[in-house]
Amino acid sequence: MKKAKVENKIDLTFELNGQPYHLTVPPTYRLVDILRTDLQLTGTKISCEIGRCGACSVLLNGKVVNSCLVMAYQIQLSTIETIEHVSHQSLHPIQQAFLEEGGLQCGYCTPGMIIALKDLLEQNQQPTDEEVFEHLSGNLCRCTGYTGIIRAVQRYREVVNKKEEIQ
């Protein structure tokens, strides 16, 4: 008699982009699998799958993580923000600065870069170029380099400074 393979699944409850979710998934699923396969949130990219490139970056409980390294059970009762939520009403100021200063990459790296910079700029609105490079050290881009990204952060800083002067 041949036995059917029974795959265990786990129940997860978490908040994603401001909405509550409850899913049942295989325990071997990673956060990136849940986002892209189960929830069709394809803004988070899959690239190296070993946590070196940052293309799959999301905010987990307010901190940037590589979603390819986060197992399903680790998101239980957590809060997750993806690139889709960063611009849910309008472009985030760092996204606008990317457009204006040529910070955009091929589209594979850009979402992870935006998530990483959002994380940095929420902690420090006036980072130095060195702090930007350090915070982006987990995001590898082979497309265009980082000059446009640094200009975008400089533009962001200028906008923040002008707003502070007006207030």
Side-chain angles (χ1 to χ4, degrees), residues 83 91-115 117 136 141-153:
I83 191 67
L91 289 179
H92 186 278
I94 194 63
Q95 290 175 310
Q96 186 64 41
F98 261 58
L99 285 173
E100 293 170 358
E101 296 298 332
L104 295 170
Q105 310 297 307
C106 66
Y108 230 81
C109 303
T110 300
M113 297 276 187
I114 296 291
I115 290 287
L117 288 172
L136 290 177
C141 178
R142 296 173 185 90
C143 303
T144 61
Y146 296 81
T147 305
I149 294 168
I150 293 298
R151 281 195 316 264
V153 174

Side-chain angles (χ1 to χ4, degrees), residues 116-117 119-121 123-139 149-150 153 157:
L117 288 172
D119 179 52
L120 172 64
L121 296 169
Q123 298 169 41
N124 176 7
Q125 290 199 333
Q126 300 293 330
T128 64
D129 291 351
E130 291 77 24
E131 290 169 325
V132 173
F133 278 120
E134 182 178 329
H135 209 77
L136 290 177
S137 64
N139 296 76
I149 294 168
I150 293 298
V153 174
R157 287 190 301 235

Side-chain angles (χ1 to χ4, degrees), residues 23-99:
L23 293 177
T24 301
V25 300
T28 55
Y29 258 32
R30 302 166 301 170
L31 175 54
V32 72
D33 301 321
I34 293 168
L35 295 173
R36 291 184 56 87
T37 304
D38 288 40
L39 302 175
Q40 306 301 309
L41 295 173
T42 57
T44 301
K45 306 300 183 200
I46 297 177
S47 186
C48 73
E49 300 192 58
I50 56 173
R52 289 192 179 165
C53 73
C56 65
S57 296
V58 300
L59 296 175
L60 177 65
N61 296 325
K63 300 290 180 193
V64 68
V65 297
N66 293 315
S67 62
C68 70
L69 298 179
V70 177
M71 298 304 296
Y73 73 89
Q74 293 177 295
I75 67 168
Q76 177 70 355
L77 303 177
S78 66
T79 301
I80 302 158
E81 183 176 6
T82 67
I83 191 67
E84 286 87 353
H85 193 254
V86 170
S87 59
H88 71 286
Q89 292 180 333
S90 63
L91 289 179
H92 186 278
I94 194 63
Q95 290 175 310
Q96 186 64 41
F98 261 58
L99 285 173

